[in-house]
């Protein structure tokens, strides 16, 4: 699968997506939503400040917005049994967690996957590929941009090989592995995108993808052909919107907006998401004041569900 190259602007902002929580090493209902209609949920990275302040209260407030699924990005000192209980108490479906890094020791990765399986989270997810030139902690945006621009075909091939192994480990743990996309996945490498390498080199039986629709669009790529071409390999997707007037770039994050208040036309996207077999569409706004997060989530969910109802 290849996408035509149509954008080459580059500027990038890496954030905490590079950091995966350390977890020790098993279910909430895994029932699929109605055919053709994904659950509307939230990527909990967006809600991290609220969860860190009061996990139980925040999760209850998130459920009260009407979302039905959540994806973790950190477990806030809860063990797997406590995560399962918290989800059941609030009537939420846990889809998975961003908990893997490609540079993890295999034993640590296996423990993270076992934690997800025990917590009733079907997917263990890696939110970034290997970035060999990036040194942690990140001290500046320019430093992160420079490291991303050094990525090569061989780097993405190596990431794909690691992700195939992660898929094997996840299967052994009773979970599934998925890779979450960012703008950098649409860096042009010769006459291809980096993401083409990931798709072609990963085993469909072991590796699924979580397509971030907003990140793809901000990189200058139309995600609708991607959704069609990868039907069956995209169980999860992220929804985010951008304020108008930005320059598309695979390595920059534009100013964000609540879903439906930005520049993205969501009607055709929702149809493509449903057609691709996505089971969970997860809202995630990049930047928002802490005291506005719940309202943004509630309004974004209402907007998406209103469109889905026609």
């Amino acid at each position: 699968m290849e996408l035509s190259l149509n954008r080459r602007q580059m500027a990038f902002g890496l954030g905490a997506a590079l950091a995966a929580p350390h977890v020790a090493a098993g279910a909430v209902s895994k029932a699929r939503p109605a055919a053709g209609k994904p659950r509307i949920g939230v990527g909990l990275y967006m809600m991290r400040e609220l969860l860190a302040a009061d996990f139980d209260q925040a999760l209850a407030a998130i459920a009260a917005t009407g979302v039905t699924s959540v994806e973790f990005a950190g477990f806030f000192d809860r063990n797997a049994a406590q995560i399962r209980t918290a989800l059941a108490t609030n009537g939420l479906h846990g889809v998975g967690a961003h908990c893997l890094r490609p540079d993890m020791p295999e034993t640590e990765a296996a423990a993270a996957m076992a934690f997800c399986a025990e917590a009733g989270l079907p997917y263990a997810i890696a939110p970034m590929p290997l970035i060999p030139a990036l040194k942690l902690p990140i001290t500046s945006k320019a430093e992160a941009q420079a490291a991303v621009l050094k990525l090569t075909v061989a780097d993405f091939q190596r990431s794909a090989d690691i992700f195939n192994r992660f898929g094997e480990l996840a299967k052994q743990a009773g979970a599934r592995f998925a890779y979450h996309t960012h703008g950098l996945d649409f860096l042009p490498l010769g006459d291809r995108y980096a993401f083409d390498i990931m798709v072609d080199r990963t085993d469909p039986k072991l590796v699924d993808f979580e397509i971030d629709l907003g990140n793809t669009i901000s990189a200058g790529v139309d995600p609708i052909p991607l959704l069609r071409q990868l039907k069956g390999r995209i169980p999860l997707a992220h929804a985010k919107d951008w304020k108008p007037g930005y320059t598309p770039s695979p390595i920059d994050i534009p100013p964000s907006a609540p879903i439906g208040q930005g520049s993205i036309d969501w009607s055709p996207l929702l149809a493509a998401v449903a057609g691709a077999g996505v089971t969970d569409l997860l809202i995630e706004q990049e930047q928002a004041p802490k005291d506005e997060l719940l309202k943004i989530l509630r309004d974004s969910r209402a907007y998406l569900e209103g469109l889905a109802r026609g």
Side-chain angles (χ1 to χ4, degrees):
M1 185 285 296
E2 294 191 16
L3 301 171
S4 62
L5 296 179
N6 59 6
R7 293 289 190 276
R8 293 179 180 269
Q9 298 91 343
M10 300 181 179
F12 184 72
L14 276 174
L18 284 169
H22 176 76
V23 294
V28 175
S29 170
K30 296 182 182 180
R32 295 170 69 89
K37 185 178 179 182
R39 285 176 289 249
I40 304 298
V42 60
L44 291 179
Y45 179 74
M46 172 182 170
M47 316 301 289
R48 63 194 180 279
E49 291 183 81
L50 299 179
L51 291 160
D54 189 325
F55 180 86
D56 294 321
Q57 180 179 333
L59 204 61
I62 290 165
T65 67
V67 299
T68 55
S69 60
V70 295
E71 176 185 77
F72 286 87
F75 296 111
F76 305 92
D77 297 321
R78 266 62 180 180
N79 61 33
Q82 290 170 323
I83 294 294
R84 286 170 59 96
T85 298
L87 290 171
T89 297
N90 290 286
L92 291 168
H93 172 85
V95 303
H98 285 201
C99 60
L100 299 172
R101 301 185 316 272
D103 61 346
M104 270 182 167
E106 194 166 287
T107 53
E108 187 177 345
M113 297 171 193
F115 184 102
C116 286
E118 184 181 353
L121 306 175
Y123 276 89
I125 301 161
M128 296 293 284
L130 282 171
I131 306 177
L134 187 65
K135 307 302 179 186
L136 299 178
I138 299 170
T139 59
S140 72
K141 178 178 176 179
E143 176 185 301
Q145 291 173 335
V148 168
L149 291 177
K150 291 178 182 178
L151 284 167
T152 66
V153 169
D155 292 328
F156 281 96
Q157 289 174 336
R158 186 179 170 204
S159 288
D161 292 342
I162 291 170
F163 293 157
N164 280 328
R165 178 56 179 158
F166 278 2
E168 293 173 347
L169 294 172
K171 185 176 181 180
Q172 293 169 15
R176 286 284 296 176
F177 170 75
Y179 171 63
H180 172 83
T181 63
H182 285 82
L184 65 84
D185 292 289
F186 299 99
L187 285 168
L189 297 174
D191 61 352
R192 312 178 76 203
Y193 285 123
F195 189 62
D196 295 325
I197 297 166
M198 305 292 283
V199 171
D200 291 348
R201 199 172 175 96
T202 51
D203 185 342
K205 296 179 181 178
L206 299 172
V207 177
D208 290 327
F209 294 102
E210 179 178 59
I211 300 299
D212 191 306
L213 303 171
N215 288 343
T216 305
I217 290 168
S218 72
V221 174
D222 181 355
I224 291 178
L226 182 64
L227 289 163
R228 290 172 179 161
Q229 292 162 5
L230 288 177
K231 182 178 180 178
R233 290 193 74 180
I234 309 177
L236 310 173
H238 274 211
K240 60 183 62 161
D241 213 333
W242 310 113
K243 293 180 180 178
Y246 67 90
T247 299
S249 165
I251 53 171
D252 201 14
I253 297 176
S256 62
I259 304 293
Q261 298 180 37
S263 56
I264 294 176
D265 182 358
W266 286 98
S267 293
L269 263 181
L270 286 180
V273 163
V278 173
T279 62
D280 292 271
L281 181 61
L282 302 159
I283 296 163
E284 184 184 46
Q285 182 161 328
E286 288 288 348
Q287 313 105 5
K290 179 180 176 181
D291 60 355
E292 296 179 17
L293 290 170
L294 291 169
K295 182 180 187 304
I296 289 170
L297 179 58
R298 184 181 298 107
D299 292 348
S300 295
R301 178 206 59 80
Y303 178 81
L304 290 172
E305 291 197 343
L307 281 183
R309 287 194 299 268

